[in-house]
Amino acid sequence: MTLPFRDINVQAASDSYIFTSPSSPNAPALTIDRPTGDIRLSDASLLAGKRVARVSSIAGILGVVRLRLDKYIIVITKAKPVGRLRGHMVYKVVATEFLPLRERQIHDPDEDKFLNLLKGFIKSGPMYFSYSLDVTNTNQRQAQHDLSTPLWQRADDRFFWNRFLQSDLINFRTKGGRGSPAPQPGIDPYILPVIFGMFEIHPTTFKGTPITIALITRRSRHRAGTRYFSRGIDEEGHASNYNETEQIVVLNDRGSGLGGFTGSGNMQSGKLGGSDGKEMQVLSYVQTRGSVPVYWAEVNNLKYTPTIQLKSTEAAFPAAKAHFDEQIRLYGDNYLVNLVNQKGRETRVKLAYEQMVERLVSSPKERVQSDTLTDEKFHTIETGTKPQTDFDRLHYIYFDFHAETKGLQMHRAQLLIDRMHQALIAQQYFRAVDSPASQVNGGRLEVRNLQTSVVRTNCMDCLDRTNVVQSMLARWTLDRMFIDLGLMARGSNFKEEDPDFEFMFRNMWADNADIVSNSYAGTGAMKTDLTRTGKRTKAGALADANIAVTRYCKNNFFDGPRQDAFDLFLGVYQPGAANIGSQLVFVDRRPVLIQAIPYVAAFSLFFVFVGMWTPRLPDSAVWPMRLFIIFWTAVAGWSLTFIISNGMLYVNWPKLVPRPWASEGYHETISKVVRKDKILGPLVAKHERGLSTARYINAEEGKKRIE
């Protein structure tokens, strides 16, 4: 079993960076040459006398990234222990350092911006890793893996968050490098998989019985991004804001807590010894969430509710087919819980989802159930015959969450769990034991029960409504686990059996809601008062209003750079491969007059306030000041009206990978200004003509250089 090194020294020399593991002196040293970035493995003993500028200790190598002018090795300089799960320590990335390959840095505005984006993203992004536990895979998938293969090769590609950054090391592992064109297994311990999301471990007790409960949310690296800049699915079937959440219960866990390695007897594996000879039991339950799997987008225009763009289900059918083909292969039957509104602007998204499911399943059969609150309380779509294809394992369940829970009646969400009761019983959960006999089999868990299906939940954002429903499903399953373990009598629930455990459970799921929401929408989640306290309150509703306003501001004015950071870290945009010439990537190319309007509005409002609050002499004339205030009020009113009516010009769009709908909307808005605005129209038209001429000249110069 090849595991990542947990202790790495990095030696910085003028011609290379050298990585070695003090606890494994016989292991080869990893050398990355400067400034070429060539990778090679060397005998660590031969490098002992090499002159170096400094030596530092790191927790691991996050990866290597090539920006516009240089390559950088990103190393983890500080990692915080989160806790032990099944005896394995899990860490959170706390601090990193960028090691440039060039000895003398060439400063460039775009290079500095790229670095700032990456550093800010890594600092704010919740990333976790373990040296001995595969954190990218569920316990059920881990039980099916060959534990003799290196940890990174067992990682789930969807949740291997730093997979792009590790490309140089992985390519060297599979193909070799200059002078050694063959696979290089010696580099395996330097490749460290990291996940992005949420990881909480709680060693606790339930009714006096020691248990460990953990909650893991793994965010997919495919089609990752921010709320309004990443919706629907892509051509390969990857859904936006796709997360896999696993709730784990461990009975007789090994060495739960934050203890060090003392007494472990195995520093490299990081796994503590047995738990007084008792059989360790592992139970887990998995859910997923992801954007509605059709081609759709919400176009920011400074209005509170963005415009929805939706393509035909026929165009998105191959992508949806690829998406659900993977979901069925990985999880079995999929119960598709859709929580969007049946009325208003969300209706089109709901109908598109239902049309897609009808196209996928054979002989679709629909059932609609109504009540006094709504005409469509439940809407299910399943195959009406014996399953003929894999897609007949899709079970669509629509629940109008907002209509049913209107007026703080959040307890009515339980109706959905009741409706799915039989499906949840058949679904089961994963259960396995880690006994002395399993140690003979390389430490692989002995499987006693498998989870046979998954609930895939979505709302518009896959955040607030989704969080509530997922926590309720997790609660239902945890009750079942405790009953099966003999910790509760049949028919009882842990809320009544152990109030302290109930408090911890609620806060754990509320923390999960906040973390998932922060990474996508830039704020904490709504409705967490329900998750934390069990009831909807007026204070919670006011907090949700504050979150809604904050989301509006962030999604319109701050999410562009955040989306750029996602695209840069995950390799969607690669500065080294982009054909950008000498142009600056982040420069604002809007007409200067368009850029100036917000400043004009701000200055106008300032002058209005000055005029209103400036003390006036008793014998001074009134009308000059009134005219002054009226004039600047008119200017401020015109400026604000222009900004609101041409909102797409003032949204902070991503600059590295422009969204097609954003580019189309921008040009349509500019054309509208040129045609209809009598003040700015002629000036903006002149700027656009000049810009088009400059683009033409640059294109011609580019052709000449190529020739």
Side-chain angles (χ1 to χ4, degrees), residues 3-10 19-23 56-63 74-81 89-97 99 127-132 151 162 166 189-194 261 267-268:
L3 298 174
F5 291 137
R6 63 179 54 248
D7 56 333
I8 297 178
N9 287 345
V10 53
F19 300 86
T20 57
S21 173
S23 64
S56 55
S57 179
I58 62 173
I61 302 173
L62 191 62
I74 309 175
V75 296
I76 303 170
T77 56
K78 186 178 180 181
K80 173 185 175 183
M89 184 64 81
V90 178
Y91 300 87
K92 181 179 182 180
V93 176
V94 174
T96 59
E97 183 181 355
L99 305 177
M127 289 184 265
Y128 300 88
F129 67 92
S130 175
Y131 297 109
S132 52
L151 187 66
N162 58 328
Q166 294 281 359
Y190 293 100
I191 303 175
L192 181 66
V194 169
F261 305 112
M267 181 175 181
Q268 185 55 37

Side-chain angles (χ1 to χ4, degrees), residues 300-302 588 590-591 594-595 598 642-643 645-653 665-673 684:
N300 292 19
N301 52 12
L302 296 191
D588 192 342
R590 292 176 302 168
I594 298 294
Q595 298 180 45
F642 181 88
I643 292 171
S645 60
N646 300 285
M648 291 203 68
L649 302 179
Y650 297 98
V651 172
N652 194 346
W653 299 103
Y666 172 84
H667 292 299
E668 288 177 4
T669 308
I670 284 288
S671 299
K672 184 181 74 172
V673 172
V684 171

Side-chain angles (χ1 to χ4, degrees), residues 379-605:
H379 183 175
T380 61
I381 303 175
E382 295 180 296
T383 180
T385 60
K386 186 177 180 181
Q388 301 174 13
T389 68
D390 284 342
F391 296 114
D392 290 339
R393 303 179 73 180
L394 299 177
H395 313 271
Y396 175 85
I397 305 171
Y398 172 74
F399 179 68
D400 195 340
F401 185 94
H402 279 159
E404 290 294 330
T405 60
K406 189 176 181 180
L408 304 181
Q409 301 296 311
M410 301 302 291
H411 63 278
R412 290 185 59 81
Q414 182 65 34
L415 295 171
L416 175 62
I417 309 300
D418 297 340
R419 175 67 177 75
M420 297 181 63
H421 184 77
Q422 293 302 320
L424 294 176
I425 291 176
Q427 181 182 58
Q428 304 186 69
Y429 57 85
F430 174 77
R431 185 173 182 177
V433 298
D434 191 353
S435 62
S438 67
Q439 299 302 315
V440 181
N441 194 26
R444 180 182 294 179
L445 295 172
E446 292 183 11
V447 178
R448 300 294 171 84
N449 195 61
L450 293 174
Q451 182 176 334
T452 59
S453 64
V454 72
V455 179
R456 183 196 191 276
T457 311
N458 74 271
C459 48
M460 288 294 281
D461 298 326
C462 303
L463 296 179
D464 311 314
R465 289 168 274 183
T466 299
N467 292 325
V468 173
V469 169
Q470 285 202 337
S471 67
M472 296 177 74
L473 290 167
R475 173 184 294 277
W476 188 93
T477 305
L478 190 55
D479 278 337
R480 183 182 181 186
M481 289 178 176
F482 284 161
I483 292 170
D484 292 347
L485 287 170
L487 301 179
M488 290 194 318
R490 191 167 299 277
S492 57
N493 59 73
F494 66 80
K495 178 181 179 179
E496 298 174 352
E497 296 283 332
D498 193 331
D500 290 338
F501 182 85
E502 161 75 6
F503 178 79
M504 183 274 301
F505 174 86
R506 287 189 179 281
N507 281 280
M508 180 176 67
W509 270 94
D511 291 343
N512 179 68
D514 285 338
I515 289 172
V516 174
S517 179
N518 261 307
S519 66
Y520 190 53
T523 70
M526 295 183 180
K527 301 179 178 66
T528 50
D529 57 326
L530 173 67
T531 313
R532 292 190 190 276
T533 66
K535 57 184 179 181
R536 198 75 168 105
T537 63
K538 292 182 178 179
L542 289 174
D544 286 356
N546 179 54
I547 289 174
V549 173
T550 306
R551 281 184 182 177
Y552 169 81
C553 295
K554 287 193 172 185
N555 298 159
N556 281 282
F557 304 119
F558 298 98
D559 272 1
R562 283 213 310 140
Q563 183 65 53
D564 286 337
F566 273 104
D567 293 338
L568 192 59
F569 186 94
L570 298 172
V572 179
Y573 178 85
Q574 300 179 36
N579 183 22
I580 56 178
S582 60
Q583 291 185 350
L584 295 176
V585 178
F586 296 100
V587 68
D588 192 342
R589 291 185 170 81
R590 292 176 302 168
V592 176
L593 288 172
I594 298 294
Q595 298 180 45
I597 298 298
Y599 298 99
V600 172
F603 278 115
S604 301
L605 291 172

Side-chain angles (χ1 to χ4, degrees), residues 204-216:
T204 184
T205 60
F206 178 71
K207 295 176 62 178
T209 302
I211 64 170
T212 298
I213 184 167
L215 189 62
I216 310 171

Side-chain angles (χ1 to χ4, degrees), residues 113-156:
K113 181 69 173 179
F114 288 139
L115 286 171
N116 289 334
L117 283 174
L118 286 174
K119 290 176 180 178
F121 179 77
I122 294 171
K123 185 177 181 180
S124 63
M127 289 184 265
Y128 300 88
F129 67 92
S130 175
Y131 297 109
S132 52
L133 180 68
D134 182 4
V135 294
T136 68
N137 275 297
T138 63
N139 282 277
Q140 183 161 316
R141 293 198 297 270
Q142 290 179 45
Q144 301 166 359
H145 286 166
D146 181 3
L147 300 184
S148 64
T149 58
L151 187 66
W152 72 269
Q153 290 186 342
R154 286 180 263 146
D156 190 316

Side-chain angles (χ1 to χ4, degrees), residues 18-21 26-31 40-45 47 190:
I18 303 167
F19 300 86
T20 57
S21 173
N26 296 325
L30 170 64
T31 302
R40 50 193 169 87
L41 295 175
S42 311
D43 189 337
S45 61
L47 301 172
Y190 293 100

Side-chain angles (χ1 to χ4, degrees), residues 181-486:
Q184 302 291 322
I187 201 174
D188 286 335
Y190 293 100
I191 303 175
L192 181 66
V194 169
I195 65 167
F196 184 101
M198 189 265 197
F199 208 126
E200 278 194 18
I201 304 172
H202 293 275
T204 184
T205 60
F206 178 71
K207 295 176 62 178
T209 302
I211 64 170
T212 298
I213 184 167
L215 189 62
I216 310 171
T217 291
R218 309 172 178 95
R219 186 173 187 183
S220 173
R221 68 185 182 90
H222 301 296
R223 200 166 173 75
T226 59
R227 187 183 180 202
Y228 287 141
F229 299 145
S230 182
R231 294 291 209 193
I233 54 174
D234 61 18
E235 293 179 352
E236 296 177 352
H238 301 131
S240 295
N241 198 24
Y242 183 88
N243 292 265
E244 175 188 78
T245 300
E246 181 179 19
Q247 179 177 272
I248 305 169
V249 176
V250 184
L251 200 63
N252 303 321
D253 199 359
R254 293 191 176 96
S256 59
L258 298 176
F261 305 112
T262 304
S264 69
N266 190 348
M267 181 175 181
Q268 185 55 37
S269 71
K271 184 174 181 179
L272 290 179
S275 180
D276 301 327
K278 296 180 180 179
E279 187 177 70
M280 181 174 69
Q281 298 196 52
V282 181
L283 302 86
S284 81
Y285 178 64
V286 175
Q287 305 178 65
T288 63
R289 74 176 78 191
S291 190
V292 174
V294 296
Y295 289 155
W296 68 286
E298 286 188 276
V299 185
N300 292 19
N301 52 12
L302 296 191
K303 291 182 174 61
Y304 183 73
T305 53
T307 304
I308 291 180
Q309 283 191 1
L310 190 63
K311 291 187 178 180
S312 67
T313 54
E314 183 178 356
F317 179 72
K321 190 175 180 181
H323 175 73
F324 285 118
D325 182 67
E326 179 185 60
Q327 298 303 297
I328 293 169
R329 175 173 52 83
L330 291 171
Y331 301 107
D333 283 45
N334 272 235
Y335 289 86
L336 313 178
V337 175
N338 186 10
L339 304 174
V340 304
N341 295 339
Q342 62 173 298
K343 296 180 180 179
R345 59 189 294 274
E346 298 182 9
T347 305
R348 295 171 60 205
V349 178
K350 169 186 177 293
L351 295 176
Y353 197 176
E354 291 170 355
Q355 291 168 10
M356 184 61 72
V357 175
E358 289 173 353
R359 289 177 63 93
L360 286 166
V361 302
S362 57
S363 304
K365 184 176 182 180
E366 297 187 55
R367 295 184 180 90
V368 178
Q369 180 182 342
S370 61
D371 62 8
T372 56
L373 294 176
T374 173
D375 294 334
E376 197 173 0
K377 177 180 179 180
F378 290 109
H379 183 175
T380 61
I381 303 175
E382 295 180 296
T383 180
T385 60
K386 186 177 180 181
Q388 301 174 13
T389 68
D390 284 342
F391 296 114
D392 290 339
R393 303 179 73 180
L394 299 177
H395 313 271
Y396 175 85
I397 305 171
Y398 172 74
F399 179 68
D400 195 340
F401 185 94
H402 279 159
E404 290 294 330
T405 60
K406 189 176 181 180
L408 304 181
Q409 301 296 311
M410 301 302 291
H411 63 278
R412 290 185 59 81
Q414 182 65 34
L415 295 171
L416 175 62
I417 309 300
D418 297 340
R419 175 67 177 75
M420 297 181 63
H421 184 77
Q422 293 302 320
L424 294 176
I425 291 176
Q427 181 182 58
Q428 304 186 69
Y429 57 85
F430 174 77
R431 185 173 182 177
V433 298
D434 191 353
S435 62
S438 67
Q439 299 302 315
V440 181
N441 194 26
R444 180 182 294 179
L445 295 172
E446 292 183 11
V447 178
R448 300 294 171 84
N449 195 61
L450 293 174
Q451 182 176 334
T452 59
S453 64
V454 72
V455 179
R456 183 196 191 276
T457 311
N458 74 271
C459 48
M460 288 294 281
D461 298 326
C462 303
L463 296 179
D464 311 314
R465 289 168 274 183
T466 299
N467 292 325
V468 173
V469 169
Q470 285 202 337
S471 67
M472 296 177 74
L473 290 167
R475 173 184 294 277
W476 188 93
T477 305
L478 190 55
D479 278 337
R480 183 182 181 186
M481 289 178 176
F482 284 161
I483 292 170
D484 292 347
L485 287 170

